[in-house]
Amino acid sequence: MKRDATEIELKLLAEAIYLRYGHDFRDYSGASHKRRVMHALPEFGCSTISALQSRVLHEPAVFHELLQFLTIPVSEMFRDPSYYHALRRDVVPLLQTYPSIKVWVAGCSTGEEVYSLAILLHEEGLLERSLIYGTDINPVSLEKARRGIFPLAAMERYAENYERSGGKRQLSDYYTAAYDAALLDRFLSANVTFADHSLATDNVFSETHLVSCRNVLIYFNRKLQDRALGLFHASLCHRGFLGLGAKESMEFSACKERFETLDRRERLYRKL
């Protein structure tokens, strides 16, 4: 079967990135990956993907800049409030029976979901005995996550999400506003570790009680989705929980038979 030149160039670029830097984009969804690469071309003064590939191979700084285009951080606190509402209703009562809790937020971007879960666990009396791991492949996003500083202009929307998610206080109770920024209280990140981890190449987190991975699998092809879901299953403890969010699905994955559904709309599952 013949392929057009752009498709071939995309595959060669992904292969070059993998061989040169170890980041694996070879099984990212074709349409989304193509759109991001094409958007990056003018930013690097390149007219073709092959020209960009040459720069990526010979200029490591270009790769690190390109990574910001390939992993566009899109997140917000308490995004999709019904998801957090379902966690409070269906998962928290069972987490409360455990002496310690390990949570993995895979593809955490700039940390908004990690801090949202930390607030939820705090309000349910679970944060002090919880360890939360937020992982991503983008070092710039991880550094932003560690700082825990978000635009003050976004906090009004986040507060609406928080209230709709079943929040028990005011979101403003958890941050200090200064100028145009909101600094989240440090106690929220006391038990949080942000770390580099690739769902394409890295291994499991063992004995995890809750894995939350939302708006990530949609960028993968079926092969990589299956790998990620297999990682989540292997990482979860007996009867652990997996939250994918409403935009993701495991309906066509072989892993489907290895989970029971807790909330079909929110794609909230429990390991069998």
Side-chain angles (χ1 to χ4, degrees), residues 173-211:
D173 293 341
Y174 297 105
Y175 66 84
T176 301
Y179 302 102
D180 59 351
L183 172 63
L184 291 178
D185 286 351
R186 288 305 177 197
F187 84 88
L188 293 173
S189 56
N191 296 341
V192 174
T193 298
F194 290 104
D196 177 85
H197 182 279
S198 170
L199 294 173
T201 58
D202 289 328
N203 292 320
V204 301
F205 280 67
S206 61
E207 291 301 304
T208 303
H209 299 90
L210 167 64
V211 175

Side-chain angles (χ1 to χ4, degrees), residues 100-104 131 133 197 202-211 230-238 240 271:
S100 63
I101 300 160
K102 190 172 173 182
V103 177
W104 176 19
L131 293 175
Y133 294 90
H197 182 279
D202 289 328
N203 292 320
V204 301
F205 280 67
S206 61
E207 291 301 304
T208 303
H209 299 90
L210 167 64
V211 175
L231 275 183
F232 300 153
H233 185 272
S235 296
L236 287 167
C237 66
H238 177 64
K271 181 178 177 178

Side-chain angles (χ1 to χ4, degrees), residues 75-147:
S75 188
E76 60 183 53
M77 292 187 71
F78 293 97
R79 184 180 189 181
D80 303 321
S82 56
Y83 173 75
Y84 291 92
H85 202 279
L87 286 179
R88 287 185 191 266
R89 183 192 61 225
D90 297 332
V91 177
V92 163
L94 294 160
L95 293 182
Q96 287 173 330
T97 66
Y98 299 146
S100 63
I101 300 160
K102 190 172 173 182
V103 177
W104 176 19
V105 182
C108 71
S109 186
T110 45
E112 287 86 341
E113 183 164 0
V114 170
Y115 289 106
S116 301
L117 284 171
I119 290 172
L120 185 154
L121 292 170
H122 168 68
E123 294 183 348
E124 301 297 338
L126 298 174
L127 184 58
E128 287 189 352
R129 51 187 162 113
S130 298
L131 293 175
I132 306 176
Y133 294 90
T135 64
D136 203 277
I137 64 170
N138 187 328
V140 174
S141 294
L142 287 171
E143 184 53 35
K144 289 180 179 178
R146 291 187 186 98
R147 288 201 296 267

